[in-house]
Amino acid sequence: MAVEHRGRLLALAGILLVALHLRAAVTAVSPVLDVVRGDVDLSATHAGLLGAVPMVSFALFGALSPALARRVGLEVAVVLAMLASAAGEVLRATTTTAPTFLLFSVLALAGLGTGNVLLPPLVKRYFPDRIGAVTAAYNVAMVVSLSVPPLVAVPLAARYGWRVSVATWAVLGVLAVV
């Protein structure tokens, strides 16, 4: 019984870390976009495309997520999604060109779009008796993920540079994998 309880706590921690990660890659860039635009030479057109990347990525990769989960398994698909997102976040923070910044943003947001769709089945699998409570908890985590990155992005960028500010949120994805 104690092992099962510990396993459920670990699953809950993973679910909440995934939820914390699901919006950070989107909301951490906007506050420092002017600095990124100057450094990576993002034109107004590129910035407009960057604004469309979350919606397109969430729709496209969200739609592909069930097939991925059927093929490799639900947990493996979530792990792959978090790794893709973390890799995209770090890679876009290291790039020097607008096209690669956009490409790595798509990678980061592909992982988030996949995680969006696969999180509810994870809740159902590990917490069939607590779907409402766990769903509420992960929704709160997603609201935190929407709120905190924009608040700390500018201070992080001022102190360490925009690249560190943008890449920092990959840590959540890696922690979710662990």
Side-chain angles (χ1 to χ4, degrees), residues 16 28 47-48 55 63 68 75-76 81 91 97 102 111 117 119 121 123 137 155 164:
L16 294 177
M55 289 183 296
L68 176 65
E75 293 82 359
V76 171
L91 289 169
T97 68
L102 289 169
V117 172
L119 201 52
V123 171
V164 170

Side-chain angles (χ1 to χ4, degrees), residues 32 35 93 152-168:
V32 295
V35 179
V152 299
V154 171
L156 271 175
R159 181 158 182 127
Y160 302 106
W162 74 264
R163 295 175 188 281
V164 170
S165 180
V166 167
T168 294

Side-chain angles (χ1 to χ4, degrees), residues 42 46-47 49-50 53 95 97-107:
L42 282 174
H46 291 126
L49 286 171
L50 185 62
V53 166
T95 190
T97 68
T100 55
F101 188 87
L102 289 169
L103 177 69
F104 293 139
S105 291
V106 169
L107 178 61

Side-chain angles (χ1 to χ4, degrees), residues 35-53:
V35 179
V36 173
R37 284 185 68 187
D39 197 27
V40 180
D41 199 28
L42 282 174
S43 68
T45 302
H46 291 126
L49 286 171
L50 185 62
V53 166

Side-chain angles (χ1 to χ4, degrees), residues 3 5-6 11 24-25 58 64 71-72 76-77 82 84 88 91 101 103 110 115 119 129 141-142 147 161 175:
V3 172
H5 181 69
R6 189 171 45 228
F58 282 15
L64 298 173
R71 184 171 186 89
V72 300
V76 171
M82 292 300 98
L91 289 169
F101 188 87
L103 177 69
L119 201 52
D129 57 331
M142 285 196 308
S147 306
L175 287 175

